[in-house]
Amino acid sequence: MPPLVAAAAAALLVVPASAARRPRLWPSRSRRARPAEARAAALRALPRRLELWPQRLASVKSTPPPSPAPPEPESISGLDAGSGGGDSGGDGGGGADLGWLRVFPHVLTASMANFLFGYHIGVMNGPIEDIARELGFQGNPFLQGLVVSIFIVGAFFGSLSSSALVDKFGCKKTLQIDSIPLIIGAFLSAQADSLDEMLLGRFLVGIGIGVNTVLVPLYISEVAPTKYRGFLGTLCQIGTCLGIIGALSLGIPSESDPHWWRTMLYAACVPGFLIVVGMQFAVESPRWLAKVGRFDDARKVVESLWEPSGVDKSMEEIKAVVANDDSQSSWSDLLVEPHNRVALIGGSLFFLQQFAGINGVLYFSSLTFRDVGITSGALASLYVGITNFGGALVASNLMDKKGRKNLLIGSYLGMAFAMFLIVYGISFPLDEGVAHSLSITGTLLYIFTFALGAGPVTGIIIPELSSARTRSKVMGFSFTVHWICNFLVGLYFLELVNKFGVGAVYAGFGGVSLLTALFAYKFIVETKGRSLEEIEMSMSPGTPGKRE
């Protein structure tokens, strides 16, 4: 994947050449008076000095004047801003700031798991009717919904089990192990000749996705240098968007080929194999290596990926945190300060994210597009996916400039405005064309602003706020809340629409969005430019540190 953010240019400071010492033409006035003999000797040597003057004058003329240093350029905001912490990255010299390139292949490989997540979200969008017809449950909306929702049930159990796997095997091996249910599940689904086989395959895929959605943002947060952690963290959202777009694009032939769904599910096996092979060459998290006592291996990873000048400081911070957490963590730790505060923030962010209506809007978007003449559900979903992807790209450029908190607040305010715009178009007597235009504009604006903050920031900031001791468990708990809320919204959304109407439900989504913006303003701590260890020490009771 090409770089998503233009690296800021660093200043090239030209050091002026030292001026050559000019030959002295006249004796110094501060020199003391000489005795008579010395004055006589100086007079005898005067003709010889006069002969050397032309040469000395030529020497003076040939000496270049000192080169003036160019004015130092103004500090460029963005990725080259001061980062704080020891693992700040950077290229250590002039020219383009390409410090993120050293870690990019590792996080790109891991983010292929998010591509699979997006792919399995989109893969059932078009061919579900063909699957139902071929496997014998056509016309049964409950079973069709079960084929889709069993994926979420598997993800729930995957999220719960992720912490134990990460703590025991580390991020690298867990990503490889977790690819097994992803590959087997996709293969079983593609080969399915009955509903039971399809459900089993989808359930196994859900388990793999549940583990990966926890693991990938955790891995990126622990491997990425502080300076680029926000930018690299958006690869999770970008990977999901690309997966959805890939599934929708690959599903276009399913409109004319009723058996094309098998090809689409076979194709889902390929990224799983790529993850297994690619992670063999990726680094392990230096924080996990230090946590299990492998400090030399942790230092090698830090030296290979982070700025050399900050290696010693980073290792000191990591060792200090590990020394304070020398025992194994348990789920009961999430009930103790400060871990309970972070777990509450993580669970609340995902609860509010889901009840702000993202899945309801995505579900209803195809009907919104149909009202303006776009009858193809796949094409409508493709427009939505491209909008989501565009928002994620913008977020990747702003994450380390504007900060997580500002993006989160602005994102939810934009989502609220978009919801109220749709409600206005639906609920007030307007020209039909105007109402449809407001609905389309509001839908795309909602999805774009969601991708700016509510989507990527939620997954980035939770591992940043968590301690090394409980990071995997806080992430597992938060994503478990996510899957439960995801399931409930999908289960009751249409029932609420039928009972109260689209306008009332969307107004509720807008109200939750406003509430979430207020929640972020009051409770979210800014993490931009701070190392994970600095954040942890600032949030621990009895540890001096500035809270923002």
Side-chain angles (χ1 to χ4, degrees), residues 450-465:
F450 173 87
L452 282 180
V457 171
T458 307
I460 291 173
I461 202 167
I462 295 174
E464 289 182 330
L465 293 175

Side-chain angles (χ1 to χ4, degrees), residues 211-505:
V211 174
N212 279 345
T213 50
V214 172
L215 185 58
V216 177
L218 189 152
Y219 175 76
I220 294 177
S221 70
E222 293 193 345
V223 169
T226 297
K227 189 175 185 180
Y228 314 106
R229 197 172 59 229
F231 153 56
L232 294 171
T234 58
L235 288 180
C236 295
Q237 180 77 7
I238 290 171
T240 303
C241 295
L242 289 175
I244 294 173
I245 293 172
L248 295 174
S249 302
L250 188 61
I252 292 176
S254 66
E255 297 181 1
S256 57
D257 184 355
H259 305 292
W260 184 252
W261 61 271
R262 294 188 184 274
T263 302
M264 296 177 66
L265 290 172
Y266 278 128
C269 299
V270 177
F273 284 110
L274 293 177
I275 293 171
V276 173
V277 176
M279 289 307 297
Q280 190 63 33
F281 301 96
V283 298
E284 182 55 87
S285 162
R287 270 96 179 188
W288 181 82
L289 290 171
K291 189 177 179 180
V292 297
R294 296 166 58 182
F295 291 104
D296 291 339
D297 292 335
R299 186 178 184 88
K300 289 178 182 178
V301 173
V302 171
E303 289 175 342
S304 66
L305 299 183
W306 298 351
E307 185 180 11
S309 62
V311 169
D312 291 334
K313 181 181 179 182
S314 297
M315 288 304 302
E316 288 174 5
E317 290 180 346
I318 292 174
K319 288 179 180 179
V321 167
V322 170
N324 291 330
D325 296 325
D326 55 354
S327 60
Q328 291 294 323
S329 64
S330 65
W331 285 102
S332 61
D333 289 335
L334 300 189
L335 302 176
V336 180
E337 185 75 18
H339 313 304
N340 59 352
R341 184 168 72 248
V342 178
L344 179 61
I345 290 174
S348 299
L349 282 177
F350 273 121
F351 175 88
L352 293 168
Q353 180 201 68
Q354 291 302 303
F355 283 97
I358 179 61
N359 289 306
V361 173
L362 290 175
Y363 178 87
F364 216 71
S365 62
S366 59
L367 298 179
T368 304
F369 279 93
R370 191 177 303 168
D371 289 339
V372 294
I374 302 175
T375 57
S376 171
L379 185 59
S381 298
L382 191 59
Y383 285 139
V384 170
I386 292 173
T387 303
N388 199 357
F389 176 65
L393 285 180
V394 175
S396 70
N397 190 37
L398 297 178
M399 195 68 66
D400 291 309
K401 294 180 180 179
K402 303 301 181 183
R404 286 61 151 162
K405 184 173 182 176
N406 289 334
L407 281 183
L408 199 60
I409 295 171
S411 173
Y412 278 107
L413 290 177
M415 290 162 61
F417 175 78
M419 283 291 94
F420 295 139
L421 188 66
I422 297 174
V423 171
Y424 178 75
I426 293 174
S427 304
F428 289 86
L430 300 172
D431 179 75
E432 185 177 358
V434 175
H436 288 164
S437 297
L438 289 177
S439 297
I440 290 290
T441 302
T443 299
L444 294 180
L445 178 63
Y446 177 92
I447 293 166
F448 183 81
T449 52
F450 173 87
L452 282 180
V457 171
T458 307
I460 291 173
I461 202 167
I462 295 174
E464 289 182 330
L465 293 175
S466 306
S467 68
R469 175 186 176 86
T470 61
R471 187 168 292 130
S472 61
K473 287 181 171 56
V474 170
M475 288 290 288
F477 167 77
S478 301
F479 271 95
T480 299
V481 173
H482 166 272
W483 293 117
I484 293 173
C485 297
N486 188 315
F487 179 80
L488 291 175
V489 171
L491 184 64
Y492 291 108
F493 174 72
L494 284 181
E495 185 175 341
L496 291 172
V497 168
N498 291 332
K499 186 172 183 179
F500 300 105
V502 177
V505 173

Side-chain angles (χ1 to χ4, degrees), residues 22 24 27 38 53 57 67 113 121 163 203 264 309 325 330 338 342 382 392 408 466 514 545:
R22 300 172 185 264
R24 191 182 301 275
W53 279 1
L57 287 172
S67 302
I121 290 175
S163 174
F203 180 76
M264 296 177 66
S309 62
D325 296 325
S330 65
V342 178
L382 191 59
L408 199 60
S466 306
L514 287 177

